[in-house]
Amino acid sequence: MSALLRMVGVRKTYDTGAIQVEALRGVDLAVQQGDFVAIMGPSGSGKSTLMHILGCLDVPSAGTYELDGVDVSHMTEAELADVRNRRIGFVFQQFNLLPSMTALRNVELPLVYAGVPRAERRERAQEALRRVGLADRVDHRPGELSGGQQQRVSVARALVTDPALILADEPTGNLDSASTHDVLELFHELHDAGRTIVLITHEAEVAQEARRVVRITDGLLSEGAAVPS
C-alpha cells in the first residue's frame, strides 16, 4: 500500500514582527491509500496549522509535503487552488453551504469551478447525494434540512470530484449526538469503500472512530497503536 500523503520535517513559523511563533516543529506524517486517520489536539497545539497545510490552504516554512505523488510544498496560490479543487474533498464544522441554493446546486459547485459540463455536473451531484442517503432531498435548501442532513450534503460535495483525500475539520462539532453517530457511520462506509480520510478533532470519542489516532501537542506529533478493526 502506497502513501497518499507524506510530510517530512514540516515546520511552520509565523513572524508577528516582535516574535516568531513556531506552530509546527518538524512534523513527519504518512497516510496510506485507504487509511482513516484522526488527528487530535487541543486549542493551540498546531492542529489548525497542520490542517491548513494538509488541505493546501498554506505551505510549510520548511520541509516537504507530497500529496498523491506531487510535492505541493512550494506551489503558487493558483497551483494550490487547483490541487484543492481536484484532489481534496473538504468537510467543515460549519457546513459552508450556500443558503440560497438547493442541495443539488451546492454539491455541483466544485464541478462548476472545474469546468465540468452542466449535464455531467447534475448527474454526478445526484449520484453523490444518493450515496449519502439524500436522494430525496436534492431540491431542499440548507434551511430545510437538519444539521445532520446538511453535513451529509457537505460530504456529498466533498465526494463529487472523486478526490484523492477527504479532509474533515471538526465535522461533528455542530451536531447533536444522533447526527454525530450518523455522520461517523457515513465516514465508516466511505472508508470501507476505499476512501482515504483524515479527520481533525479535539473530541476523543470522535477520534476513536478512526483506524489510527495521531496526537499533536506543541507542534509535534505522537501516535498510539492502531484502533482494532
Side-chain angles (χ1 to χ4, degrees), residues 159-210:
L159 289 172
V160 77
T161 58
D162 194 24
L165 170 68
I166 296 175
L167 182 60
D169 182 23
E170 300 282 3
T172 62
N174 280 343
L175 302 179
D176 59 30
S177 57
S179 295
T180 292
H181 176 269
D182 289 346
V183 169
L184 290 174
E185 280 296 307
L186 177 56
F187 282 132
H188 280 298
E189 291 171 15
L190 295 173
H191 174 233
D192 290 344
R195 292 285 177 176
T196 306
I197 302 170
V198 174
L199 186 156
I200 314 293
T201 185
H202 69 277
E203 299 178 82
E205 314 83 58
V206 172
Q208 290 300 322
E209 296 290 328

Side-chain angles (χ1 to χ4, degrees), residues 129-144:
L129 285 164
R130 185 196 64 77
R131 290 180 64 189
V132 301
L134 291 178
D136 59 343
R137 295 289 188 272
V138 295
D139 293 324
H140 287 64
R141 288 177 171 77
E144 300 169 325

Side-chain angles (χ1 to χ4, degrees), residues 71-194:
D71 187 349
V72 299
S73 310
H74 307 289
M75 283 187 171
T76 65
E77 180 52 44
E79 290 170 333
L80 289 172
D82 185 64
V83 170
R84 289 195 299 270
N85 194 51
R86 296 181 184 276
R87 297 179 186 264
I88 305 172
F90 291 93
V91 181
F92 298 102
Q93 178 177 350
Q94 302 292 343
F95 314 141
N96 288 5
L97 302 175
L98 296 179
S100 63
M101 289 188 174
T102 63
L104 184 68
R105 292 285 291 140
N106 269 284
V107 174
E108 279 186 297
L109 277 177
L111 301 178
V112 174
Y113 300 143
V116 175
R118 183 176 180 180
E120 182 181 346
R121 290 199 311 260
R122 187 176 184 85
E123 181 179 347
R124 288 171 62 176
Q126 287 174 328
E127 173 59 18
L129 285 164
R130 185 196 64 77
R131 290 180 64 189
V132 301
L134 291 178
D136 59 343
R137 295 289 188 272
V138 295
D139 293 324
H140 287 64
R141 288 177 171 77
E144 300 169 325
L145 301 172
S146 68
Q149 288 172 330
Q150 289 184 63
Q151 194 59 292
R152 283 177 174 267
V153 174
S154 297
V155 174
R157 182 183 57 195
L159 289 172
V160 77
T161 58
D162 194 24
L165 170 68
I166 296 175
L167 182 60
D169 182 23
E170 300 282 3
T172 62
N174 280 343
L175 302 179
D176 59 30
S177 57
S179 295
T180 292
H181 176 269
D182 289 346
V183 169
L184 290 174
E185 280 296 307
L186 177 56
F187 282 132
H188 280 298
E189 291 171 15
L190 295 173
H191 174 233
D192 290 344

